[in-house]
Amino acid sequence: MGYIIKSIIPIIIGLVILYGIKNGVKVYECFVEGAKDGVYICFKIFPYLLAMLIAVGVFRDSKLLDSFISLVKPLVNIIGLPSEVVPLVMVKPLSGSGAMGVFTDILKRYGPDTYIGLVASIIMGSTETIFYTLTVYYGAVNIKKIRHTLWAAIFADLTAIIMAVFITRAII
């Protein structure tokens, strides 16, 4: 079973190459063009990621984060959310790349197989970048009144956070 799981990515890549060859697509040239786009995207999002990481680092090193966590700790303790995950919960609605930086930091500090790492992983995968998504999608079609979308999205994220705690407790 482990061999199949380790082989799934090469199998998918092989199937894509065979499908491209079968349909007369220049697979190598398409790969190179896609790689160029990938590098461009990396350069495009890097400043935002760096800014978010620096902001979170400054927020943490200035002890403001500790003060904020102390402030919200009684609230997060009600649902069993580890206070170490609060920075991820704060950043994720604003920026996916910033949340990825915070998430990476959590995994480095506490490990991916710990309670904190599992809760953070589920939150990372089940919540949304609410404000970014509203800005991009509603801005693209020039919608200014979002009506109930923001509250529905916040409620969905809160539900995902609570479910992350319950699912992690069920797993461990």
Side-chain angles (χ1 to χ4, degrees):
M1 185 68 174
Y3 179 75
I4 292 173
I5 291 173
K6 289 179 182 174
S7 303
I8 198 78
I9 298 293
I11 289 171
I12 291 172
I13 291 171
L15 290 174
V16 168
I17 291 171
L18 290 175
Y19 182 78
I21 291 171
K22 179 184 172 241
N23 291 315
V25 175
K26 295 180 180 178
V27 176
Y28 181 74
E29 286 80 7
C30 288
F31 172 78
V32 170
E33 286 300 316
K36 285 179 188 175
D37 290 345
V39 170
Y40 173 72
I41 290 171
C42 286
F43 281 120
K44 189 176 173 183
I45 66 169
F46 180 74
Y48 301 105
L49 181 61
L50 182 64
M52 190 61 69
L53 289 173
I54 289 173
V56 170
V58 167
F59 194 58
R60 182 184 321 123
D61 291 343
S62 67
K63 306 296 182 197
L64 284 174
L65 182 61
D66 295 337
S67 300
F68 180 77
I69 289 172
S70 300
L71 189 68
V72 297
K73 195 170 188 172
L75 183 65
V76 296
N77 281 343
I78 293 172
I79 62 169
L81 181 71
S83 58
E84 294 84 357
V85 181
V86 170
L88 178 65
V89 171
M90 290 172 37
V91 172
K92 183 66 191 277
L94 302 172
S95 166
S97 54
M100 183 59 77
V102 173
F103 175 64
T104 303
D105 188 47
I106 289 171
L107 292 185
K108 282 182 182 173
R109 284 180 176 224
Y110 304 102
D113 295 329
T114 61
Y115 177 72
I116 294 170
L118 289 172
V119 169
S121 298
I122 294 173
I123 288 172
M124 190 66 188
S126 62
T127 56
E128 180 59 68
T129 54
I130 298 170
F131 295 102
Y132 173 80
T133 305
L134 286 177
T135 302
V136 170
Y137 292 114
Y138 278 12
V141 293
N142 203 21
I143 294 176
K144 296 191 168 107
K145 293 183 178 179
I146 60 172
R147 299 190 53 169
H148 307 293
T149 306
L150 177 62
W151 290 109
I154 290 172
F155 182 73
D157 267 11
L158 289 174
T159 303
I161 291 165
I162 292 168
M163 289 307 298
V165 170
F166 287 121
I167 290 170
T168 304
R169 285 184 179 165
I171 291 172
I172 293 181

